[in-house]
Structures are given as C-alpha cells and as structure tokens.
Amino acid sequence: MKVGETRSGLALWDHDGEPASHKVEPKPLCPECRSFDYAHYQTNWGYGWRCSDCGYDDYYSLGD
C-alpha cells in the first residue's frame, strides 16, 4: 500500500491497484504533553489513547 498527499490535502491510498481519495486526518497529540507518540489501543472491554512519553492514558469502557 502506498500513501501520498495532494496539494488539496487529500490522501491517496493505492490498495490493490484501486486508488481512493479522502481527507487526511492529522495524527492526534497527547493532551497532557503535546507529544506525537499518542497511540490508540483496544481491549475486549473498551478502547483508549495512551502516550508512551508521559504515561497519559484515556480509556473508554464499552459498558459505560
């Protein structure tokens, strides 16, 4: 898979020879330390965002 960006801010995804375009989503920053090392994760009971730089963890339970 190749990813590119056009001047209009559209991302070009080339998957199996079928290009599609959509708006580029910026990578979120950690709200605590503003680090780019802020990643989404999932568990069986929910999902969350975790920063490995400062340890910030924002978890959402599927039962709530």
Side-chain angles (χ1 to χ4, degrees):
M1 181 181 340
K2 294 187 292 185
V3 178
E5 186 176 339
T6 65
R7 291 181 193 208
S8 65
L10 293 176
L12 299 177
W13 299 78
D14 185 8
H15 181 62
D16 295 331
E18 297 180 13
S21 58
H22 59 85
K23 279 293 202 183
V24 174
E25 292 290 329
K27 183 165 174 63
L29 297 174
C30 173
E32 190 77 19
C33 69
R34 309 299 293 163
S35 170
F36 282 107
D37 200 9
Y38 191 54
H40 182 264
Y41 69 94
Q42 286 189 285
T43 67
N44 289 337
W45 302 278
Y47 63 95
W49 290 88
R50 181 179 298 135
C51 178
S52 59
D53 285 344
C54 71
Y56 179 79
D57 194 350
D58 195 10
Y59 182 77
Y60 301 96
S61 173
L62 294 177
D64 293 340

